Structures are given as structure tokens and as C-alpha cells.
Amino acid sequence: MEPARPKLPLEAIELYNQFIHGGMSRRAFMNGIQRLAVGGVAASAMVEGLMPNYALGQQVSRTDDRIKATYETVPSPKGNGSIKGYLVRPVSADTRSATSTKLPGILVVHENRGLNPHIEDIARRLALANFMAFAPDGLTSLGGFPGDDYKGGQMFAKIDRAKMTEDMVASAEWLKARPDCTGKIGVIGFCYGGSMANTLAVRLGADLSAAVPFYGGAPPASDVPKIKAAVLVHHGELDKGTAATWPAYDQALTAANIPHEGYIYPGAVHGFNCDATPERYNKAAADLAWQRTIDWFNKYVRG
């Protein structure tokens, strides 16, 4: 069976990727979509399929009684002073209160638009898998995610990247040190967050048990020996530039004797896990990647 591929032209998805990564203006994106609007697919339908629909992508309601979620502020003296994030824990079915037992922690790092509703939903999904999850908002110093991905991307470009990295390190250390955490943590990230998952694996060394980057950039080969976490990498086959980094990363991880696996998903594009963007979402790839991710965290963070 042929792998599922996007219904829209790949050129449209590439235009969207350039747009959300700051490579073109909104006007240039819309003009490009207009040029591709042939074969009975209207430009408005293309845009609707590419832009996020967070209600469509919500798998776990914010009010689900199986979880308890709060917003917490984490000190980040080496970063932007502090960073706010979304903390989620499962609740006991008997008491309907937060579980009193210690749980392994998973840091959830967003794409380059800040802590949007999709990333919060990822944190809730992890809570239902019996982890405590913390999703920091890298846009905190500018007021946080503005409710619009385009504006979020513009804000993201203004923040000092080195300070944002320190904010993420502070978030991971805070999660690990919480009294309701077992002291074992992992990280999952998407796009920018995927690159950050690899960066945290380098920075945290033995303090991080597992890293799961989705379509993120690999760290420099010279830094790979610093990694002590088990690394699980996910890329889409059609996300050619990012997927092309995997063989060298695989080789470096092997040379450093780091437990790792990597998968290239047939027919999948950049952002294939995001069910809030219908034309990038690839359900078969996303479901398989998610199951592999939970299995990985159960093995290396819970174990």
C-alpha cells in the first residue's frame, strides 16, 4: 500500500513551512498560494488546510477530569528572568485529585510560535499516559503566546535565542527537582522544540534520561559524546532537508554508544504530527511515532 501523502501540492506545504519559519511575509505566502490554486482547489481551501485549527486537533479537553493542569512560573536567572509554563498531572480515578505518587517528568517544547493550544494538548496526552508534563512558553518575556501563530512567530524572532535556551534548561531542572517528580525526566519537542530536545540532551548530560526530537535539527557532531540520554528521532520522508541530517546523527550517536533509534516516515512532511494543521498531519505516521514515543519514555524515563 502506498503511504498517505498530502492532498495539496507539496509546493503549497513548502510555502507554508517557509512562512511559519520566517522565510516570507504573509502577503508573499498568500500570493504564492494564489499561484498554486489550480485544478479545482481554491486558494481559500489551501489556506484553511494549512493554517492551524486547534479545536480540530484537540484530543484531550482542557476540562478533562482525568488530569489536573496549572500554569506555573519558573525562575530563570541565566535566561529571561523567569518562564511560565503549563504543568499537567494525571488524577486518581478514586479521589479525582492529583496523584500523590511521584511521576517521571516530560518537558514539552513547542515549535517556533510559542506555547499554543496544540502543545498544551500534547502535554495533556502525556498526562493520560501517566507522566507529569511541563510545557514552557519561550515567549514568556514578551507576554506569552499571543493567541495567533503568525504573531507568535514574529515574537519568537525577537527573543534572544541563547536566553531562551537557558529558559528551557531552567524549566527542565525545575521539573526534575519537583518533589512530585521521580527525578527522572525526558524531553519531547517539535521543529524548534525538536532541535531544543537535542540541545538539552547535550546540555543536561546524565540529568536527562530520554530525548525525542520530532523533525528537529541535530546537534554538532562534536557535542554528541556529551549526550547520556536515550535518543529517539522522528522525521518525515518529504521533509528532505531535515531528514537528511539523520544518517550523520545516527553515526555520531552510534560512535558515542548512546542508545538511539531513528525513523523516517513515508509520505510524511514537516509537522506531520500536528493534527491541528490538517494538510500537514499524517495520521498513520503520527500514531506510530506517538506509540514509539510513549514506549521510549516508558522504557527510559519510567524504567
Side-chain angles (χ1 to χ4, degrees):
M1 180 183 295
E2 284 293 314
R5 291 176 180 258
K7 303 182 192 71
L8 295 184
L10 286 177
E11 293 86 350
I13 293 173
E14 283 304 312
L15 279 175
Y16 177 74
N17 286 336
Q18 289 180 48
F19 170 55
I20 62 173
H21 290 105
M24 65 173 56
S25 66
R26 186 192 290 267
R27 175 175 292 182
F29 167 66
M30 294 302 296
N31 288 342
I33 291 295
Q34 288 284 356
R35 288 193 296 271
L36 291 171
V38 296
V41 181
S44 59
M46 285 192 186
V47 172
E48 184 178 351
L50 290 166
M51 292 297 189
N53 179 335
Y54 293 123
L56 180 69
Q58 181 175 276
Q59 291 189 21
V60 185
S61 169
R62 297 179 64 86
T63 58
D64 193 303
D65 64 3
R66 295 172 294 173
I67 61 169
K68 180 181 180 182
T70 57
Y71 289 96
E72 305 290 341
T73 299
V74 175
S76 179
K78 295 181 181 178
N80 286 292
S82 65
I83 182 167
K84 186 177 179 181
Y86 184 63
L87 179 69
V88 196
R89 284 179 59 95
V91 301
S92 166
D94 296 326
T95 64
R96 291 299 175 198
S97 61
T99 53
S100 58
T101 56
K102 293 186 176 185
L103 293 172
I106 306 296
L107 192 76
V108 185
V109 187
H110 53 66
E111 298 173 301
N112 67 336
R113 273 90 74 198
L115 181 58
N116 63 31
H118 170 66
I119 298 300
E120 292 190 347
D121 197 64
I122 293 288
R124 293 193 292 270
R125 296 175 202 179
L126 285 162
L128 292 187
N130 205 33
F131 295 95
M132 60 183 300
F134 184 63
D137 188 351
L139 300 182
T140 298
S141 61
L142 294 182
F145 177 69
D148 175 275
D149 272 28
Y150 178 64
K151 292 178 182 177
Q154 292 179 311
M155 292 167 61
F156 187 91
K158 297 176 182 176
I159 295 181
D160 183 295
R161 193 61 62 87
K163 287 187 176 181
M164 196 187 305
T165 296
E166 295 304 325
D167 289 341
M168 297 301 169
V169 170
S171 296
E173 292 175 341
W174 174 85
L175 179 62
K176 183 180 179 66
R178 283 183 60 87
D180 53 356
C181 180
T182 61
K184 295 189 72 172
I185 62 169
V187 59
I188 183 173
F190 307 88
C191 187
Y192 160 77
S195 301
M196 181 51 58
N198 285 318
T199 296
L200 290 174
V202 172
R203 282 288 303 271
L204 296 176
D207 286 338
L208 186 72
S209 296
V212 182
F214 278 73
Y215 26 88
S222 59
D223 281 344
V224 171
K226 300 174 185 176
I227 296 174
K228 304 304 176 188
V231 178
L232 174 64
V233 172
H234 301 298
H235 288 300
E237 174 199 21
L238 303 180
D239 184 14
K240 296 187 182 297
T242 309
T245 66
W246 168 239
Y249 192 21
D250 178 26
Q251 186 175 18
L253 289 166
T254 300
N257 293 314
I258 296 161
H260 68 283
E261 292 178 11
Y263 296 95
I264 310 293
Y265 295 86
V269 301
H270 186 84
F272 71 82
N273 186 71
C274 185
D275 45 3
T277 50
E279 288 302 329
R280 295 195 304 163
Y281 179 53
N282 184 309
K283 179 173 171 49
D287 286 352
L288 181 54
W290 185 254
Q291 187 56 60
R292 285 170 169 162
T293 296
I294 296 302
D295 290 346
W296 198 259
F297 285 149
N298 279 332
K299 180 177 181 179
Y300 291 103
V301 186
R302 197 185 306 282

